[in-house]
Amino acid sequence: MSRSLRHGALAATALVFSIATLSACGAGNDAQTLQVRPDNAATAVDSIKIQNLNIITQPEPDAEGPAVIAATLFNDGTKREVVEKITLPGTDATVELKPAKGKGPLVVPAGGRVVIGGKDNASAVIENGRQAGTAGNVQTVAFTFSETGDVELGASIVPATGYFEGFGPGTLPSAKPTPSDAASETPGAPSDGQSESPAGTETDPAAGTEADPADDAAATH
């Protein structure tokens, strides 16, 4: 083989080896493709994992009412974790926590999980939704756990539309007609006892109409 052919063969071999080396590096544990994060915020600290974190506000930007925090909490440890509080650093917002059933603390059992947000799940309600921030922004959310301590991460702020509609907040009770409003509509009605019943049933918590958007819409017309 001539000298020029030998040089050409060596150059081709070196090129193939270089490409193979780069491909192997790209497929390693530090490859950028393995570092792609989901759209929803997620983090892990010790035995606690937080996934699918979002702050869900009212559907309309100018609507008054609460906002809610939606997330899934995992506990891979051997001890139960109590969510002692959730705060929004940098704001005056207060977050009211409730377990899925009954009263008491919000507990993430050992080796289990808790879903916050949505029907029949635990809830984390921000009464003044405007304090949560504006849809499209990111707000830091701080969870305080009994064993792990504080865990902070950024949550996307999204309106209760589309996919998030079923996880969104209801309207504040004050947005519905008040008993005084209902009474003012019938001051001149005959006192036959029939005019008192509708007003009583409208504000009866046992009627279960407060969380029904369809009843809210009918009451406003």
Side-chain angles (χ1 to χ4, degrees):
M1 182 182 293
S2 66
R3 180 177 300 178
S4 59
L5 290 177
R6 285 199 301 270
H7 281 300
L10 289 174
T13 302
L15 178 61
V16 171
F17 179 77
S18 298
I19 294 175
T21 302
L22 290 174
S23 299
C25 291
N29 292 333
D30 293 331
Q32 291 184 354
T33 54
L34 298 181
Q35 298 176 4
V36 175
R37 301 278 183 176
D39 292 337
N40 295 329
T43 191
V45 177
D46 296 336
S47 61
I48 289 293
K49 294 179 182 178
I50 303 174
Q51 295 182 358
N52 302 323
L53 174 64
N54 290 283
I55 296 176
I56 307 174
T57 62
Q58 296 291 323
E60 300 298 330
D62 57 347
E64 297 288 346
V68 297
I69 294 172
T72 304
L73 312 179
F74 297 87
N75 179 7
D76 294 335
T78 58
K79 295 182 179 180
R80 76 171 194 165
E81 290 267 13
V82 177
V83 184
E84 297 179 343
K85 63 179 179 178
I86 300 178
T87 58
L88 306 182
T91 75
D92 296 329
T94 57
V95 182
E96 182 181 3
L97 298 177
K98 289 185 179 180
K101 296 181 180 179
K103 299 181 180 179
L106 180 55
V107 177
V108 189
R113 69 171 185 171
V114 164
V115 177
I116 300 177
K119 184 179 179 181
D120 299 328
N121 295 325
S123 63
V125 180
I126 307 164
E127 183 174 345
N128 184 351
R130 292 186 179 276
Q131 291 182 322
T134 305
N137 293 339
V138 174
Q139 168 64 49
T140 300
V141 179
F143 295 79
T144 300
F145 295 92
S146 56
E147 298 292 332
T148 303
D150 293 337
V151 178
E152 293 188 3
L153 68 163
S156 297
I157 304 174
V158 297
T161 57
Y163 172 81
F164 296 101
E165 183 176 359
F167 298 90
T171 56
L172 285 173
S174 59
K176 297 181 65 177
T178 62
S180 60
D181 293 336
S184 64
E185 294 178 1
T186 58
S191 179
D192 55 3
Q194 297 180 355
S195 61
E196 297 178 0
S197 177
T201 57
E202 184 176 353
T203 57
D204 184 359
T209 59
E210 184 170 325
D212 190 341
D215 290 345
D216 289 343
T220 57
H221 286 287

